[in-house]
Amino acid sequence: MLISLLIMLFIYAALSKLLTFSDFRQQLYNQNFSHDFAALLTYCLPVAEIVTAGFLSFKRTVLTGLILSAILLVAFTGYISLVMLHYWDRVPCSCGGILSHMSWTAHLIFNWFFLILNLIAIYLHLSERKQQPLLTD
């Protein structure tokens, strides 16, 4: 169930970016990042979210997906934390869909919720792997 929630989160995030791609691109170029970094994020973020969801979808690659998911969530949560600490003078939101209607505090809580779910899923996955006997030839 935890992994299914993460898959839905990343598919939703990627689709919201791709379906409103020109808006998403413009919002990234309006960030306090360099234009080169914004260009990189424009294409890499949706791909990373889709790849992460893909890895989460298969038993053989689920741990890789959980690690990628945690990295993305830490990065997003770190960005939101910097926003709330007023690290930048201006902070346009580049979120799409439902998330664009959330306050920064709600964003932070949302991200922490999914990051904690992600960490629980990693713990459960590793615990389950330890309990399974190793198969040898």
PDB file of all heavy atoms in Angstrom, residues 35-58:
ATOM      1  N   HIS A  35      19.378  29.741 -15.548  1.00  0.00           N
ATOM      2  CA  HIS A  35      18.566  29.228 -16.653  1.00  0.00           C
ATOM      3  C   HIS A  35      19.054  27.851 -17.112  1.00  0.00           C
ATOM      4  O   HIS A  35      18.246  27.030 -17.544  1.00  0.00           O
ATOM      5  CB  HIS A  35      18.539  30.230 -17.803  1.00  0.00           C
ATOM      6  CG  HIS A  35      17.567  31.340 -17.558  1.00  0.00           C
ATOM      7  ND1 HIS A  35      16.379  31.459 -18.230  1.00  0.00           N
ATOM      8  CD2 HIS A  35      17.596  32.359 -16.670  1.00  0.00           C
ATOM      9  CE1 HIS A  35      15.720  32.505 -17.783  1.00  0.00           C
ATOM     10  NE2 HIS A  35      16.447  33.079 -16.835  1.00  0.00           N
ATOM     11  N   ASP A  36      20.346  27.601 -16.996  1.00  0.00           N
ATOM     12  CA  ASP A  36      20.868  26.280 -17.353  1.00  0.00           C
ATOM     13  C   ASP A  36      20.310  25.199 -16.420  1.00  0.00           C
ATOM     14  O   ASP A  36      19.917  24.123 -16.864  1.00  0.00           O
ATOM     15  CB  ASP A  36      22.398  26.262 -17.300  1.00  0.00           C
ATOM     16  CG  ASP A  36      23.027  27.078 -18.413  1.00  0.00           C
ATOM     17  OD1 ASP A  36      22.362  27.319 -19.441  1.00  0.00           O
ATOM     18  OD2 ASP A  36      24.191  27.487 -18.246  1.00  0.00           O
ATOM     19  N   PHE A  37      20.280  25.500 -15.132  1.00  0.00           N
ATOM     20  CA  PHE A  37      19.739  24.545 -14.162  1.00  0.00           C
ATOM     21  C   PHE A  37      18.234  24.363 -14.371  1.00  0.00           C
ATOM     22  O   PHE A  37      17.724  23.246 -14.305  1.00  0.00           O
ATOM     23  CB  PHE A  37      20.045  25.004 -12.736  1.00  0.00           C
ATOM     24  CG  PHE A  37      19.703  23.986 -11.681  1.00  0.00           C
ATOM     25  CD1 PHE A  37      20.271  22.722 -11.692  1.00  0.00           C
ATOM     26  CD2 PHE A  37      18.807  24.296 -10.673  1.00  0.00           C
ATOM     27  CE1 PHE A  37      19.960  21.777 -10.724  1.00  0.00           C
ATOM     28  CE2 PHE A  37      18.483  23.360  -9.697  1.00  0.00           C
ATOM     29  CZ  PHE A  37      19.067  22.103  -9.722  1.00  0.00           C
ATOM     30  N   ALA A  38      17.527  25.449 -14.654  1.00  0.00           N
ATOM     31  CA  ALA A  38      16.084  25.362 -14.927  1.00  0.00           C
ATOM     32  C   ALA A  38      15.822  24.500 -16.158  1.00  0.00           C
ATOM     33  O   ALA A  38      14.893  23.683 -16.166  1.00  0.00           O
ATOM     34  CB  ALA A  38      15.497  26.754 -15.112  1.00  0.00           C
ATOM     35  N   ALA A  39      16.648  24.666 -17.197  1.00  0.00           N
ATOM     36  CA  ALA A  39      16.496  23.854 -18.411  1.00  0.00           C
ATOM     37  C   ALA A  39      16.706  22.378 -18.100  1.00  0.00           C
ATOM     38  O   ALA A  39      15.948  21.517 -18.578  1.00  0.00           O
ATOM     39  CB  ALA A  39      17.479  24.329 -19.480  1.00  0.00           C
ATOM     40  N   LEU A  40      17.705  22.091 -17.285  1.00  0.00           N
ATOM     41  CA  LEU A  40      17.973  20.707 -16.887  1.00  0.00           C
ATOM     42  C   LEU A  40      16.785  20.127 -16.114  1.00  0.00           C
ATOM     43  O   LEU A  40      16.310  19.020 -16.409  1.00  0.00           O
ATOM     44  CB  LEU A  40      19.251  20.651 -16.047  1.00  0.00           C
ATOM     45  CG  LEU A  40      19.661  19.287 -15.513  1.00  0.00           C
ATOM     46  CD1 LEU A  40      20.139  18.400 -16.658  1.00  0.00           C
ATOM     47  CD2 LEU A  40      20.753  19.443 -14.474  1.00  0.00           C
ATOM     48  N   LEU A  41      16.289  20.884 -15.135  1.00  0.00           N
ATOM     49  CA  LEU A  41      15.159  20.412 -14.329  1.00  0.00           C
ATOM     50  C   LEU A  41      13.896  20.227 -15.158  1.00  0.00           C
ATOM     51  O   LEU A  41      13.103  19.315 -14.895  1.00  0.00           O
ATOM     52  CB  LEU A  41      14.880  21.389 -13.194  1.00  0.00           C
ATOM     53  CG  LEU A  41      15.883  21.420 -12.049  1.00  0.00           C
ATOM     54  CD1 LEU A  41      15.495  22.490 -11.034  1.00  0.00           C
ATOM     55  CD2 LEU A  41      15.998  20.074 -11.382  1.00  0.00           C
ATOM     56  N   THR A  42      13.709  21.086 -16.152  1.00  0.00           N
ATOM     57  CA  THR A  42      12.507  21.018 -16.994  1.00  0.00           C
ATOM     58  C   THR A  42      12.324  19.625 -17.584  1.00  0.00           C
ATOM     59  O   THR A  42      11.212  19.111 -17.631  1.00  0.00           O
ATOM     60  CB  THR A  42      12.580  22.063 -18.118  1.00  0.00           C
ATOM     61  OG1 THR A  42      12.652  23.366 -17.532  1.00  0.00           O
ATOM     62  CG2 THR A  42      11.383  21.985 -19.034  1.00  0.00           C
ATOM     63  N   TYR A  43      13.411  19.048 -18.026  1.00  0.00           N
ATOM     64  CA  TYR A  43      13.320  17.735 -18.662  1.00  0.00           C
ATOM     65  C   TYR A  43      13.628  16.594 -17.702  1.00  0.00           C
ATOM     66  O   TYR A  43      13.044  15.515 -17.806  1.00  0.00           O
ATOM     67  CB  TYR A  43      14.248  17.682 -19.891  1.00  0.00           C
ATOM     68  CG  TYR A  43      13.815  18.681 -20.928  1.00  0.00           C
ATOM     69  CD1 TYR A  43      14.430  19.918 -21.032  1.00  0.00           C
ATOM     70  CD2 TYR A  43      12.734  18.407 -21.764  1.00  0.00           C
ATOM     71  CE1 TYR A  43      14.003  20.856 -21.965  1.00  0.00           C
ATOM     72  CE2 TYR A  43      12.298  19.334 -22.689  1.00  0.00           C
ATOM     73  CZ  TYR A  43      12.935  20.557 -22.781  1.00  0.00           C
ATOM     74  OH  TYR A  43      12.486  21.476 -23.693  1.00  0.00           O
ATOM     75  N   CYS A  44      14.500  16.825 -16.754  1.00  0.00           N
ATOM     76  CA  CYS A  44      14.919  15.740 -15.857  1.00  0.00           C
ATOM     77  C   CYS A  44      13.887  15.401 -14.784  1.00  0.00           C
ATOM     78  O   CYS A  44      13.746  14.234 -14.423  1.00  0.00           O
ATOM     79  CB  CYS A  44      16.252  16.079 -15.207  1.00  0.00           C
ATOM     80  SG  CYS A  44      17.617  16.003 -16.371  1.00  0.00           S
ATOM     81  N   LEU A  45      13.180  16.400 -14.257  1.00  0.00           N
ATOM     82  CA  LEU A  45      12.222  16.104 -13.181  1.00  0.00           C
ATOM     83  C   LEU A  45      11.108  15.150 -13.618  1.00  0.00           C
ATOM     84  O   LEU A  45      10.886  14.130 -12.950  1.00  0.00           O
ATOM     85  CB  LEU A  45      11.632  17.386 -12.602  1.00  0.00           C
ATOM     86  CG  LEU A  45      12.463  18.086 -11.544  1.00  0.00           C
ATOM     87  CD1 LEU A  45      11.770  19.366 -11.075  1.00  0.00           C
ATOM     88  CD2 LEU A  45      12.746  17.191 -10.368  1.00  0.00           C
ATOM     89  N   PRO A  46      10.385  15.436 -14.722  1.00  0.00           N
ATOM     90  CA  PRO A  46       9.333  14.479 -15.107  1.00  0.00           C
ATOM     91  C   PRO A  46       9.886  13.092 -15.416  1.00  0.00           C
ATOM     92  O   PRO A  46       9.287  12.083 -15.050  1.00  0.00           O
ATOM     93  CB  PRO A  46       8.695  15.106 -16.357  1.00  0.00           C
ATOM     94  CG  PRO A  46       9.083  16.540 -16.327  1.00  0.00           C
ATOM     95  CD  PRO A  46      10.388  16.610 -15.592  1.00  0.00           C
ATOM     96  N   VAL A  47      11.046  13.042 -16.067  1.00  0.00           N
ATOM     97  CA  VAL A  47      11.656  11.750 -16.381  1.00  0.00           C
ATOM     98  C   VAL A  47      12.031  11.025 -15.093  1.00  0.00           C
ATOM     99  O   VAL A  47      11.756   9.826 -14.938  1.00  0.00           O
ATOM    100  CB  VAL A  47      12.892  11.928 -17.301  1.00  0.00           C
ATOM    101  CG1 VAL A  47      13.679  10.632 -17.424  1.00  0.00           C
ATOM    102  CG2 VAL A  47      12.461  12.431 -18.673  1.00  0.00           C
ATOM    103  N   ALA A  48      12.641  11.731 -14.157  1.00  0.00           N
ATOM    104  CA  ALA A  48      13.025  11.112 -12.876  1.00  0.00           C
ATOM    105  C   ALA A  48      11.795  10.594 -12.130  1.00  0.00           C
ATOM    106  O   ALA A  48      11.844   9.518 -11.520  1.00  0.00           O
ATOM    107  CB  ALA A  48      13.784  12.121 -12.016  1.00  0.00           C
ATOM    108  N   GLU A  49      10.706  11.344 -12.173  1.00  0.00           N
ATOM    109  CA  GLU A  49       9.480  10.904 -11.484  1.00  0.00           C
ATOM    110  C   GLU A  49       8.886   9.668 -12.143  1.00  0.00           C
ATOM    111  O   GLU A  49       8.449   8.737 -11.450  1.00  0.00           O
ATOM    112  CB  GLU A  49       8.476  12.058 -11.455  1.00  0.00           C
ATOM    113  CG  GLU A  49       8.928  13.178 -10.545  1.00  0.00           C
ATOM    114  CD  GLU A  49       8.190  14.486 -10.729  1.00  0.00           C
ATOM    115  OE1 GLU A  49       7.539  14.693 -11.787  1.00  0.00           O
ATOM    116  OE2 GLU A  49       8.260  15.328  -9.814  1.00  0.00           O
ATOM    117  N   ILE A  50       8.900   9.616 -13.463  1.00  0.00           N
ATOM    118  CA  ILE A  50       8.374   8.443 -14.180  1.00  0.00           C
ATOM    119  C   ILE A  50       9.273   7.228 -13.945  1.00  0.00           C
ATOM    120  O   ILE A  50       8.787   6.121 -13.689  1.00  0.00           O
ATOM    121  CB  ILE A  50       8.224   8.739 -15.687  1.00  0.00           C
ATOM    122  CG1 ILE A  50       7.095   9.754 -15.899  1.00  0.00           C
ATOM    123  CG2 ILE A  50       7.963   7.463 -16.482  1.00  0.00           C
ATOM    124  CD1 ILE A  50       7.050  10.359 -17.288  1.00  0.00           C
ATOM    125  N   VAL A  51      10.580   7.430 -14.019  1.00  0.00           N
ATOM    126  CA  VAL A  51      11.524   6.336 -13.784  1.00  0.00           C
ATOM    127  C   VAL A  51      11.373   5.810 -12.353  1.00  0.00           C
ATOM    128  O   VAL A  51      11.360   4.595 -12.126  1.00  0.00           O
ATOM    129  CB  VAL A  51      12.977   6.796 -14.073  1.00  0.00           C
ATOM    130  CG1 VAL A  51      14.000   5.807 -13.539  1.00  0.00           C
ATOM    131  CG2 VAL A  51      13.171   7.007 -15.572  1.00  0.00           C
ATOM    132  N   THR A  52      11.235   6.716 -11.408  1.00  0.00           N
ATOM    133  CA  THR A  52      11.048   6.309 -10.015  1.00  0.00           C
ATOM    134  C   THR A  52       9.785   5.472  -9.871  1.00  0.00           C
ATOM    135  O   THR A  52       9.811   4.400  -9.239  1.00  0.00           O
ATOM    136  CB  THR A  52      10.991   7.549  -9.100  1.00  0.00           C
ATOM    137  OG1 THR A  52      12.243   8.241  -9.200  1.00  0.00           O
ATOM    138  CG2 THR A  52      10.736   7.159  -7.654  1.00  0.00           C
ATOM    139  N   ALA A  53       8.681   5.921 -10.441  1.00  0.00           N
ATOM    140  CA  ALA A  53       7.428   5.156 -10.393  1.00  0.00           C
ATOM    141  C   ALA A  53       7.609   3.792 -11.054  1.00  0.00           C
ATOM    142  O   ALA A  53       7.089   2.783 -10.564  1.00  0.00           O
ATOM    143  CB  ALA A  53       6.302   5.938 -11.057  1.00  0.00           C
ATOM    144  N   GLY A  54       8.359   3.758 -12.151  1.00  0.00           N
ATOM    145  CA  GLY A  54       8.625   2.493 -12.825  1.00  0.00           C
ATOM    146  C   GLY A  54       9.401   1.524 -11.943  1.00  0.00           C
ATOM    147  O   GLY A  54       9.040   0.348 -11.816  1.00  0.00           O
ATOM    148  N   PHE A  55      10.456   2.016 -11.313  1.00  0.00           N
ATOM    149  CA  PHE A  55      11.235   1.165 -10.405  1.00  0.00           C
ATOM    150  C   PHE A  55      10.384   0.678  -9.232  1.00  0.00           C
ATOM    151  O   PHE A  55      10.526  -0.462  -8.792  1.00  0.00           O
ATOM    152  CB  PHE A  55      12.460   1.903  -9.868  1.00  0.00           C
ATOM    153  CG  PHE A  55      13.639   1.918 -10.804  1.00  0.00           C
ATOM    154  CD1 PHE A  55      14.286   3.112 -11.088  1.00  0.00           C
ATOM    155  CD2 PHE A  55      14.124   0.756 -11.380  1.00  0.00           C
ATOM    156  CE1 PHE A  55      15.382   3.135 -11.936  1.00  0.00           C
ATOM    157  CE2 PHE A  55      15.221   0.772 -12.232  1.00  0.00           C
ATOM    158  CZ  PHE A  55      15.853   1.963 -12.509  1.00  0.00           C
ATOM    159  N   LEU A  56       9.516   1.532  -8.737  1.00  0.00           N
ATOM    160  CA  LEU A  56       8.646   1.145  -7.622  1.00  0.00           C
ATOM    161  C   LEU A  56       7.625   0.072  -8.024  1.00  0.00           C
ATOM    162  O   LEU A  56       7.085  -0.619  -7.171  1.00  0.00           O
ATOM    163  CB  LEU A  56       7.907   2.365  -7.078  1.00  0.00           C
ATOM    164  CG  LEU A  56       8.746   3.375  -6.305  1.00  0.00           C
ATOM    165  CD1 LEU A  56       7.944   4.662  -6.085  1.00  0.00           C
ATOM    166  CD2 LEU A  56       9.210   2.799  -4.980  1.00  0.00           C
ATOM    167  N   SER A  57       7.379  -0.059  -9.301  1.00  0.00           N
ATOM    168  CA  SER A  57       6.332  -0.952  -9.796  1.00  0.00           C
ATOM    169  C   SER A  57       6.727  -2.420  -9.868  1.00  0.00           C
ATOM    170  O   SER A  57       5.869  -3.274 -10.062  1.00  0.00           O
ATOM    171  CB  SER A  57       5.882  -0.495 -11.195  1.00  0.00           C
ATOM    172  OG  SER A  57       5.355   0.808 -11.131  1.00  0.00           O
ATOM    173  N   PHE A  58       8.007  -2.701  -9.750  1.00  0.00           N
ATOM    174  CA  PHE A  58       8.467  -4.079  -9.916  1.00  0.00           C
ATOM    175  C   PHE A  58       9.235  -4.550  -8.689  1.00  0.00           C
ATOM    176  O   PHE A  58      10.087  -3.833  -8.169  1.00  0.00           O
ATOM    177  CB  PHE A  58       9.349  -4.209 -11.170  1.00  0.00           C
ATOM    178  CG  PHE A  58       8.622  -3.826 -12.426  1.00  0.00           C
ATOM    179  CD1 PHE A  58       8.803  -2.572 -12.978  1.00  0.00           C
ATOM    180  CD2 PHE A  58       7.737  -4.710 -13.024  1.00  0.00           C
ATOM    181  CE1 PHE A  58       8.127  -2.199 -14.122  1.00  0.00           C
ATOM    182  CE2 PHE A  58       7.050  -4.352 -14.169  1.00  0.00           C
ATOM    183  CZ  PHE A  58       7.246  -3.091 -14.725  1.00  0.00           C
TER     184      PHE A  58
END
